Amino acid sequence: MAKIEKFEDLEIWQLAKQVGVEAYRISDSEPMKSDFGLKDQFRRAAMSMSDNVAEGFEYNNNPDFVRFLTYAKGSSGEFRNKIIILQAANKLSQNDFNFLYDKCVEFSAKTKRFIDYLTDFELKKKNLKGKR
């Protein structure tokens, strides 16, 4: 895997950013626009995905990064839960639901693979140190 210099280069951050941007676009329109509590929760849940990827990356060590990636994956589940309920309550269009749901599922799958990669990398690094 190529060395990533900044979190903006990570594909998972780019996916999470797309979710955040769409969440802002959707929540600036009715029926969410005038429901301030819902609008705030919706935006915070969406932003938490990219926030956690960025924050974890900036710690500059894999164990902390893995912890924050786990939080980001959890945030994706929280957001997915919200959009399922909002769509069922007719607060979210089918097209917006489909886009957000698909991006969240993709984000979760790719984040899980990245967590597994980093965890395996750390394990191998630890095993190499033990053999010296």
Side-chain angles (χ1 to χ4, degrees), residues 19-66:
V19 170
V21 168
E22 281 303 297
Y24 266 80
R25 181 192 62 76
I26 292 164
S27 63
D28 276 340
S29 301
E30 293 300 344
M32 253 188 254
K33 183 178 183 176
S34 56
D35 186 337
F36 299 111
L38 173 59
K39 181 178 177 176
D40 183 57
Q41 276 192 323
F42 187 72
R43 287 178 170 184
R44 285 176 186 263
M47 295 294 294
S48 183
M49 294 164 56
S50 61
D51 286 346
N52 278 300
V53 172
E55 185 174 355
F57 182 88
E58 292 297 327
Y59 278 102
N60 272 342
N61 70 73
N62 287 340
D64 283 334
F65 193 21
V66 165

